Amino acid sequence: MTGYAEAGTWLEAYGRAWQTFDGDGWVSLFTDDAEYHESPYAAPLVGHNALRKYLLDAAGSQRDVEFTIEQHWVSGTTVLAAWHVSFVRQSTGRPVRMAGFLTAEVGSDGRASRFREWTVTAPDTSE
């Protein structure tokens, strides 16, 4: 994938899978052995089983997810995007707001082999 429009479609699918907690839609965006780096300081999640578990854990702790891409860019096979999300923490009923930046190395098959994100949680909504 190298096109701006294709990158936008990939990002929309990513957001939709998170908002609906669609495990099949989620893992279809990634290669079988994809690395998902939720933090630059933690070991990556690797493979579809780990990615599906990550989304299922989110489904158990979040509701009313609203994910928005603010801007995205493409450089070669890498998709870059600034985003924000809000959701309600199920255990407390508190709203959470986060902003972030992501990079996804997406191949010609439209699946990401490496995904990295950096996030900041709004101070008034810290978990």
Side-chain angles (χ1 to χ4, degrees):
M1 169 192 318
T2 57
Y4 183 82
E6 292 88 357
T9 299
W10 192 92
L11 291 163
E12 287 173 7
Y14 175 87
R16 187 171 45 255
W18 184 359
Q19 290 174 239
T20 61
F21 304 111
D22 176 2
D24 291 336
W26 181 262
V27 298
S28 73
L29 297 169
F30 299 92
T31 60
D32 295 344
D33 60 348
E35 293 179 11
Y36 190 104
H37 298 259
E38 182 186 19
S39 164
Y41 302 108
L45 303 171
V46 179
H48 281 183
N49 288 341
L51 291 171
R52 188 179 300 275
K53 181 184 180 318
Y54 177 76
L55 187 66
L56 289 174
D57 288 348
S61 65
Q62 303 170 1
R63 66 178 167 83
D64 304 328
V65 176
E66 294 183 20
F67 178 82
T68 304
I69 295 294
E70 295 174 15
Q71 178 72 38
H72 75 277
W73 306 265
V74 177
S75 178
T77 60
T78 303
V79 176
L80 306 101
W83 56 267
H84 64 268
V85 67
S86 64
F87 57 86
V88 175
R89 178 72 56 207
Q90 288 190 31
S91 62
T92 63
R94 289 182 46 105
V96 177
R97 292 182 305 131
M98 301 168 74
F101 189 82
L102 68 80
T103 66
E105 295 174 21
V106 181
S108 60
D109 64 354
R111 298 185 306 154
S113 59
R114 182 171 292 146
F115 180 96
R116 290 184 166 98
E117 67 182 344
W118 299 262
T119 60
V120 177
T121 302
D124 61 331
T125 65
S126 66
E127 303 175 64

